[in-house]
Amino acid sequence: MKLCKSIPTILIIITLLGCDNNDKKSISFSETAYKNAKGEIVVRDATQKEIDSLNEGFKMMDKINSKYPTPPTPWNKKIFAVKSITDNGIFILENNTQVSLAGIKCGPRGVYFIRKFFEEDTEKLSYIAENETTDGIFESYVWLADLSLMKDPDEKKYVVSPSFSSVNDMVIQNNWCDIDPESDSQYLSRYNAIIEMSQENNR
């Protein structure tokens, strides 16, 4: 995923890989990536303050997850290649199924970032539908399924499944898309809690 090249803010990346036979093996690293004044991507080690802030964010997300749970991570669900994403944020999958983010409305900025998530061949989509519209669009909770580590020659022996990330949560947390005021999705309370968390972190 090459999203970092388009985001002018700092990203903190932490990767944990585990378990080879009976011997636990962990590989971890944390770095920040940001765009400088020349438009170049600069990568450096994360500071302790940045790591502490990220850990605090994880704790807050744990509280949100316990109060407003998501569907189970789709470890055993089918994953799909994304053929295209329309200008109003509808995913067109390899089997021509149309999927949207339940309770979320995306404008051009949000669609731009969503497209960045799915520009690599190793980045697939999995979803659990909440509702089907009269137009045949499945309003869903959507995950990005990243297969890049499974295909990496050095890492694939430690990784047995894709890495899943919630697209719904990411677009709300980063203020790329908005809550749809006309939606009655079951996830609206979760989205509002994520917005409150993001506002608190930015103070």
Side-chain angles (χ1 to χ4, degrees):
M1 179 173 61
K2 298 180 180 177
L3 185 64
C4 61
K5 69 182 179 184
S6 301
I7 299 180
T9 53
I10 290 177
L11 302 176
I12 299 179
I13 306 160
I14 293 182
T15 299
L16 295 174
L17 309 173
C19 293
D20 182 16
N21 297 325
N22 294 324
D23 298 323
K24 290 185 178 179
K25 182 170 183 176
S26 295
I27 302 171
S28 65
F29 63 90
S30 60
E31 295 176 332
T32 63
Y34 64 95
K35 183 182 288 186
N36 64 18
K38 296 180 180 179
E40 301 167 332
I41 295 299
V42 179
V43 178
R44 61 170 172 78
D45 290 340
T47 66
Q48 188 60 48
K49 182 178 180 180
E50 289 165 341
I51 294 173
D52 290 344
S53 176
L54 186 66
N55 286 333
E56 187 62 31
F58 287 152
K59 291 178 183 177
M60 294 176 74
M61 280 303 300
D62 285 342
K63 292 179 181 178
I64 292 174
N65 289 335
S66 63
K67 190 170 183 179
Y68 308 109
T70 69
T73 302
W75 301 110
N76 298 316
K77 297 287 186 181
K78 183 171 174 57
I79 58 177
F80 301 90
V82 177
K83 286 172 57 177
S84 62
I85 301 172
T86 68
D87 290 342
N88 56 346
I90 296 172
F91 299 88
I92 311 298
L93 306 186
E94 59 185 291
N95 60 358
N96 293 320
T97 299
Q98 298 182 69
V99 175
S100 66
L101 302 176
I104 293 174
K105 195 170 187 177
C106 293
R109 180 173 179 269
V111 172
Y112 170 82
F113 284 118
I114 291 172
R115 285 173 174 160
K116 288 293 180 184
F117 279 114
F118 294 94
E119 64 182 9
E120 300 294 327
D121 291 340
T122 55
E123 288 149 2
K124 312 293 185 183
L125 178 147
S126 185
Y127 70 98
I128 292 182
E130 180 183 21
N131 179 54
E132 183 179 1
T133 70
T134 56
D135 296 330
I137 300 169
F138 291 96
E139 298 174 330
S140 305
Y141 197 85
V142 174
W143 287 268
L144 166 71
D146 189 343
L147 283 69
S148 58
L149 290 177
M150 297 178 68
K151 296 181 180 296
D152 185 286
D154 296 324
E155 311 296 354
K156 64 181 181 180
K157 60 185 175 182
Y158 305 118
V159 182
V160 296
S161 69
S163 171
F164 288 95
S165 303
S166 165
V167 179
N168 300 53
D169 287 2
M170 284 190 286
V171 300
I172 290 294
Q173 186 171 355
N174 289 286
N175 196 31
W176 297 336
C177 300
D178 299 315
I179 295 175
D180 184 349
E182 299 181 1
S183 173
D184 59 355
S185 170
Q186 63 181 308
Y187 305 118
L188 297 186
S189 295
R190 177 180 177 83
Y191 299 157
N192 280 308
I194 290 173
I195 291 171
E196 290 178 9
M197 179 194 73
S198 298
Q199 292 173 341
E200 180 68 25
N201 288 342
N202 291 330
R203 287 176 185 168

